[in-house]
């Protein structure tokens, strides 16, 4: 059955024509399909961040073919795949990018390699599979081409390692998953991890070189402007924010770095 939406997530940025070229390919193959841009500001080559952004967004979209391209291995032996779930399909590189979103869409049912030449552009660049392989595949899937028509079944999809989280009495160490437009720092840890560590009230939040105090609260306005808050974000993850500012700038934190939270409020 045709699917009327394609969602689109990349690390392409918006200063070049890469996103527009992919939109154009989809429009030429499936002109009636609506494209919903999730983000094209994923930090370059940050596969886990792209995976998290898509996973946190996909459940709120209509049934879609989810096209995602954060692909440091483009042109190498890594496979392109279509992943079938209970609520739509995902298209992109087999590097772990698609699996977290698939799990939010009722789980992986099957996967197939993007091998059939008739569902890609006639000339394929070794560095732009988003335009030449993945966008055409997403468009053909949206038109109703069965995923098994694209190539052999894949039973060994690549999965990302679990993000780092370590819980101790009075201490929690967690990997940074994403930093949003406002500079809010999303951690891999959950409120349950914070509770297990016994951390409440005022805590210390530190990166490799910076340590600040933060109040455990519900929202940005829990603290006065310019103050730091540790809260549960809309995806159910712990996050650090500055009311009216950027926690990422204050702490010098970005994706894949580690953040430490302790019960010793020694910072100023």
């Amino acid at each position: 059955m045709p699917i009327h939406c394609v969602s689109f997530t990349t690390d392409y940025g918006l200063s070049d024509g890469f996103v527009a070229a992919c939109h154009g390919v989809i429009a030429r193959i499936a002109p009636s399909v609506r494209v919903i841009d999730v983000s094209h500001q994923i930090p370059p080559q940050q596969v886990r961040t792209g995976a998290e952004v898509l996973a946190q967004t996909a459940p709120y979209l209509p049934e879609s073919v989810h096209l995602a391209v954060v692909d440091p291995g483009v042109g190498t032996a890594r496979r392109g795949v279509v992943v079938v779930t209970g609520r739509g399909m995902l298209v992109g590189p087999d590097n772990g990018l698609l699996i977290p979103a698939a799990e939010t869409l009722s789980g992986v049912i099957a996967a197939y390699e993007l091998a059939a030449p008739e569902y890609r552009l006639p000339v394929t660049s070794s560095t732009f599979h988003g335009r030449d392989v993945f966008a055409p595949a997403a468009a053909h899937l949206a038109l109703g081409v069965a995923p098994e028509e694209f190539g052999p079944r894949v039973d060994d999809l690549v999965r990302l390692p679990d993000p780092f989280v370590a819980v101790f009495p009075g201490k929690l160490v967690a990997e940074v998953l994403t930093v949003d437009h406002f500079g809010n720092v999303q951690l891999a840890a959950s409120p349950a991890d914070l509770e297990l560590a016994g951390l409440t009230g005022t805590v210390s939040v530190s990166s490799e070189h910076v340590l600040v105090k933060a109040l455990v609260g519900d929202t940005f306005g829990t603290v006065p402007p310019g103050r730091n808050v540790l809260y549960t974000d809309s995806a159910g993850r712990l996050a650090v924010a500055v009311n009216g500012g950027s926690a990422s700038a204050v702490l010098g934190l970005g994706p894949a770095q580690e953040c430490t939270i302790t019960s010793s409020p020694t910072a100023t």
Side-chain angles (χ1 to χ4, degrees):
M1 293 291 292
I3 294 176
H4 301 293
C5 285
V6 171
S7 84
F8 193 19
T9 306
T10 75
D11 61 350
Y12 290 163
L14 297 173
S15 60
D16 303 294
F18 303 138
V19 171
C22 296
H23 271 268
V25 168
I26 294 168
R28 292 174 68 179
I29 296 169
S32 65
V33 169
R34 178 185 181 192
V35 179
I36 299 175
D37 292 293
V38 175
S39 176
H40 301 295
Q41 303 285 11
I42 304 301
Q45 293 90 48
Q46 291 289 338
V47 176
R48 188 187 298 283
T49 299
E52 290 293 334
V53 168
L54 180 57
Q56 293 169 24
T57 306
Y60 300 95
L61 301 179
E63 184 176 0
S64 302
V65 177
H66 300 282
L67 169 59
V69 191
V70 182
D71 192 15
V74 62
T76 69
R78 71 95 187 90
R79 297 172 294 202
V81 292
V82 51
V83 178
V84 182
T85 77
R87 292 180 50 211
M89 293 175 281
L90 302 104
V91 171
D94 181 26
N95 61 4
L97 175 67
L98 307 178
I99 302 305
E103 291 173 344
T104 71
L105 298 171
S106 302
V108 176
I109 294 174
Y112 301 90
E113 186 174 359
L114 300 178
E118 59 266 38
Y119 300 122
R120 57 178 62 186
L121 295 192
V123 178
T124 302
S125 164
S126 61
T127 60
F128 200 177
H129 285 188
R131 177 193 66 192
D132 300 339
V133 178
F134 301 136
H140 285 294
L141 286 163
L143 289 178
V145 176
E148 57 267 27
E149 297 296 318
F150 286 81
R153 187 177 175 110
V154 174
D155 294 315
D156 59 343
L157 289 168
V158 173
R159 293 176 178 267
L160 295 171
D162 291 337
F164 180 77
V165 178
V167 182
F168 311 94
K171 183 178 180 180
L172 173 61
V173 185
E175 181 178 337
V176 176
L177 294 181
T178 69
V179 175
D180 69 16
H181 172 72
F182 300 99
N184 302 322
V185 176
Q186 183 189 63
L187 307 178
S190 69
D193 295 320
L194 191 71
E195 183 177 358
L196 188 61
L199 294 166
T200 59
T202 301
V203 297
S204 291
V205 180
S206 61
S207 60
E208 186 177 359
H209 301 294
V210 179
L211 187 149
V212 300
K213 286 195 289 188
L215 183 67
V216 178
D218 297 324
T219 187
F220 316 111
T222 301
V223 295
R227 296 293 185 175
N228 312 303
V229 61
L230 180 67
Y231 67 104
T232 302
D233 72 6
S234 60
R237 302 275 193 177
L238 287 180
V240 187
V242 177
N243 186 3
S246 167
S248 176
V250 168
L251 289 163
L253 279 174
Q257 295 180 296
E258 289 182 6
C259 179
T260 301
I261 304 165
T262 66
S263 57
S264 176
T266 56
T268 58

